[in-house]
Amino acid sequence: MVLLKYPERRAGHWQPPGLLDWTAGLLLAGSAIGAIMRAEQVAEGGANTIDWVLWIVGGLSFAVVAFLPRARTLALIVMSIMVFTFYETQFNDLIQRPGAWNATDFWLASVAVVMSIEVARRAIGLSIPLLVVVGLLYAHYGRYFPGPLAHRGSSVEQIANYLMYSQEGIFGIMTSVMANTVIVFIYLGAFMERSGMGKFFIELPLAVAGRTVGGPAKVAVIASAVFGSINGASLANIVATGAFTIPLMKRVGFRPHVAGAVENSASVGGQLLPPIMGSGVFIMAEITGIPYLEIIAVAAAPALLYMLSIGFMVHFDARRSGIRGMQRGEVDSPLNVLRRGWYHLVPFAVLLGLLIVGYSPVWSASLTIVSILVINWIRIVLARLWPDVFGAPDYALGIRGIKDALVLGSTNSLVVGAVAAAVGVLMGVIVLTGLPLKVGNMIVNLADGQLLIALFLVGVASLVLGMALPITVSYLLLIVLAGPALLDMGVALIAAHMIVFWLSQDSNITPPVCLGAYVAASIAVADPWKTGWTSFRFAKMLYVIPLLFAYTPMLTGSVEEIAWVLLTATAGTYAFSGWSMGWLKRRTTFFEWIVLGAIALMCFLPAAMELPAGTTGWQANIAGMILLAGFYLWQRARPDEPGRAVTASG
């Protein structure tokens, strides 16, 4: 499907093959398949006439196909069908002779590896394929690498067979999670979008927050949170919600790069929110063995804290910049929006209810799709019976609507599916070479037992990986490489995974790459560099909350411990947001800014931490919350001086 959808060159367009393309492509694919299937016989008894015919026809066909892009695509399609049909039909035989791979197995595996690289290149460009090629070279030439990275190296046959026929290669975690779970949720997102839920979840936040101070920015935060929890992709979130919210923010007075930064930062938060979490939650459940429901239960509160911090910051920024909300006539009332679209909340309730009851994520998502269809059909029937009372849905999910949703879901799944096999190759190389143990030892040695330094190193690694890889792929690779080091330092399993998952998001907000900032800046018609740095300013909690994962029982404690951490972290988030923007009830003086930063630190301290003078962290937490209340009242009692200049952020 990727070969059909994406042309060989990104600037090109797919066109159906002509007669010459069909002839050359099928001759090349057929001769290659025949030669591969006879490879074991040739290895044992030598080549005969039919083998020479296959090789000659294949060579001549290859010479012709070199000038015919559509013939190359056709040959690749036929070869891909052949390779994985062989794998499916011969699976029982393959698992009964592990390690006893023959020449045919090797050549099939080699074709599968090359196919994985090419499909990923067509779908997402050169980043992952180049990394895979480097990984393959590392696996083969490991003896030439310096110091702790060196290993004895593996033969080409060992590498290809391991990547194809082991559980850590092409059919590893990424492919397993994609096939078993992610694709169903991608289809769920497509049906939600086609049913009009996306539009509803923009209209409702607009009705709730549109008229408040800096209202459109708060709408961007809320809409991105809800929309991101549905589709789990930050870039798609930016495009879908930003096309609406960024112009609104600019209209009420936000500078273009600030509007883009708010949308970008909020869209990153959407990828942290359950139930989908950018597909990372499914990989996390697969690796850790922790139930999916348990992971999303502990992941929800930190994600909401992150979104709350952005909400606070945009409020303070709007106050400081003198930006008001939208006018009464521009915004509908929340009651009217709910009256028109309350039924869009039902699928969410169905999904959460089924998960809580204990159904599997796949079954829950499937039944949620059914609920969307049933609701849509009921609305169609009611509109036909009582047209004056009930309005017809904007998007009717009849046969054509279902087909469109399936096409949309299939299209959306192709990029993730294309990456899955290539990432499997990379993961297989990492496991084959023992790289996780080597990197883990390097982190432990460099950190010298200091968890904070180890977290800094993981953060740097996530930023570097994020320059070339999608967020979920970056998380998967980094947890395999750095996860053992965090576990060795006493970090709980779920906390280690959440730390890496959160830090893997930073590539969208931190220059020089910050792809999310570039997308948001293109919509805002702003400077991508300024948008990226302003995104970093709004999204600083992305780096604070992983510290709470590491040093507090936010994810692993008792109910009382978690409640206390969330209480103090909420106060700390408010103080930290004010400190970041230099504003609480009014602009902070330099001395007030220092004090507010100290208050935020006191609120964030682990309750069990031993402090000087016999004090503990929980005492500092209490003092911090009391001081925050006092600081708020202090600023409230002393408003800005008349005539004092107010400038926009950035």
Side-chain angles (χ1 to χ4, degrees), residues 70-110:
R70 286 176 289 179
R72 287 196 294 272
T73 296
L74 181 62
L76 288 172
I77 291 172
V78 175
M79 292 287 288
S80 68
I81 294 172
M82 180 276 298
V83 167
F84 297 107
T85 299
F86 174 87
Y87 183 84
E88 290 293 328
T89 57
Q90 302 300 313
F91 182 76
N92 289 332
D93 178 58
L94 290 169
I95 62 174
Q96 289 173 6
R97 51 183 177 87
W101 318 123
N102 57 40
T104 295
D105 298 332
F106 162 68
W107 284 108
L108 282 164
S110 300

Side-chain angles (χ1 to χ4, degrees), residues 154-311:
S154 301
S155 68
V156 174
E157 291 82 1
Q158 288 174 327
I159 295 170
N161 290 330
Y162 184 83
L163 295 177
M164 181 66 173
Y165 305 117
S166 77
Q167 295 183 359
E168 284 81 24
I170 290 173
F171 295 101
I173 290 174
M174 189 74 176
T175 305
S176 174
V177 171
M178 168 64 189
N180 292 327
T181 308
V182 173
I183 193 168
V184 181
F185 278 85
I186 291 175
Y187 281 114
L188 173 59
F191 275 93
M192 285 182 168
E193 184 176 337
R194 289 297 303 168
S195 69
M197 288 181 67
K199 179 182 177 183
F200 171 75
F201 286 120
I202 291 178
E203 291 179 347
L204 184 60
L206 183 63
V208 172
R211 294 176 57 199
T212 62
V213 173
K218 296 174 184 175
V219 171
V221 174
I222 300 171
S224 296
V226 177
F227 196 85
S229 70
I230 296 172
N231 67 14
S234 58
L235 296 182
N237 198 349
I238 293 170
V239 174
T241 60
F244 175 77
T245 59
I246 289 176
L248 282 182
M249 285 187 274
K250 291 172 63 178
R251 194 169 79 190
V252 298
F254 284 97
R255 298 174 67 181
H257 68 276
V258 176
V262 170
E263 179 58 49
N264 182 33
S265 306
S267 294
V268 168
Q271 192 150 344
L272 299 170
L273 277 165
I276 297 180
M277 295 171 61
S279 306
V281 64
F282 305 118
I283 296 175
M284 198 180 299
E286 181 81 10
I287 297 175
T288 62
I290 299 173
Y292 165 82
L293 187 59
E294 186 176 329
I295 294 176
I296 65 172
V298 299
L304 290 173
L305 267 182
Y306 172 82
M307 302 304 295
L308 188 63
S309 72
I310 301 177

Side-chain angles (χ1 to χ4, degrees), residues 34-89:
I36 289 173
M37 290 304 173
R38 292 186 53 81
E40 180 60 17
Q41 293 173 268
V42 172
E44 291 182 352
N48 56 30
T49 303
I50 189 172
D51 298 307
W52 284 104
V53 170
L54 289 171
W55 296 345
I56 292 171
V57 171
L60 293 174
S61 302
F62 184 81
V64 175
V65 166
F67 300 96
L68 300 172
R70 286 176 289 179
R72 287 196 294 272
T73 296
L74 181 62
L76 288 172
I77 291 172
V78 175
M79 292 287 288
S80 68
I81 294 172
M82 180 276 298
V83 167
F84 297 107
T85 299
F86 174 87
Y87 183 84
E88 290 293 328
T89 57

